[in-house]
Amino acid sequence: MPAESVAFFAYFSTHNIAASPHQILAFDKVITNIGNAYHPHSGTFIAPRSGVYVFIWIIRLGRTNYHTTELLHDNNVINSIYLDPQSRMDGTATGTAVVHVNQGEDVLIRTGALSNGRIDSDTNGRSSFAGWMLM
């Protein structure tokens, strides 16, 4: 593996109460962190070098919860996803973005304006955040 490789994958180790807007989601169970650029205590990826990165996040919700989640790059919303199961079933939503990130800039996931309740994550399905350097 080249020394310049950068990739991470983390998920919530338990359900996460995220009831307020603009709450940073700190995915705490780190499985992969090549380049040590993902910081689980703050939920923030800080680019160790400039380049084009791919980011993906998956949010799992139960019946009565609803959330918008946003991917922020350098404090700018790049992409967002919304899910409201409306008490019918559990569900997941997935967001993806391909972004040029300069060295030292950050990327994170936060709740959006429409957010209520718990984000689920357990052995039946994980809420997660991943990213890797494409070029």
Side-chain angles (χ1 to χ4, degrees):
M1 179 176 331
E4 66 274 359
S5 295
V6 178
F8 73 93
F9 173 73
Y11 63 80
F12 287 139
S13 60
T14 61
H15 300 312
N16 187 295
I17 302 301
S20 61
H22 302 148
Q23 177 180 331
I24 295 172
L25 301 178
F27 298 85
D28 63 312
K29 179 63 176 174
V30 178
I31 302 301
T32 304
N33 199 4
I34 300 166
N36 295 313
Y38 178 70
H39 305 276
H41 296 294
S42 65
T44 305
F45 169 82
I46 300 174
R49 64 189 51 81
S50 297
V52 176
Y53 290 83
V54 178
F55 298 98
I56 184 169
W57 73 105
I58 299 168
I59 301 297
R60 179 176 159 232
L61 298 177
R63 300 167 194 266
T64 60
N65 304 304
Y66 57 87
H67 282 282
T68 297
T69 54
E70 304 170 329
L71 180 127
L72 272 72
H73 162 234
D74 203 29
N75 213 29
N76 296 304
V77 176
I78 301 300
N79 196 6
S80 62
I81 58 175
Y82 176 73
L83 178 62
D84 182 357
Q86 297 185 350
S87 299
R88 292 190 188 104
M89 64 183 150
D90 293 354
T92 60
T94 303
T96 306
V98 179
V99 185
H100 183 273
V101 183
N102 292 317
Q103 183 176 3
E105 292 179 340
D106 62 1
V107 176
L108 56 88
I109 305 297
R110 74 176 187 187
T111 56
L114 296 174
S115 292
N116 181 55
R118 185 174 87 177
I119 295 174
D120 291 341
S121 190
D122 59 25
T123 56
N124 294 317
R126 304 280 187 204
S127 292
S128 60
F129 180 32
W132 59 94
M133 188 173 197
L134 184 62
M135 52 194 282

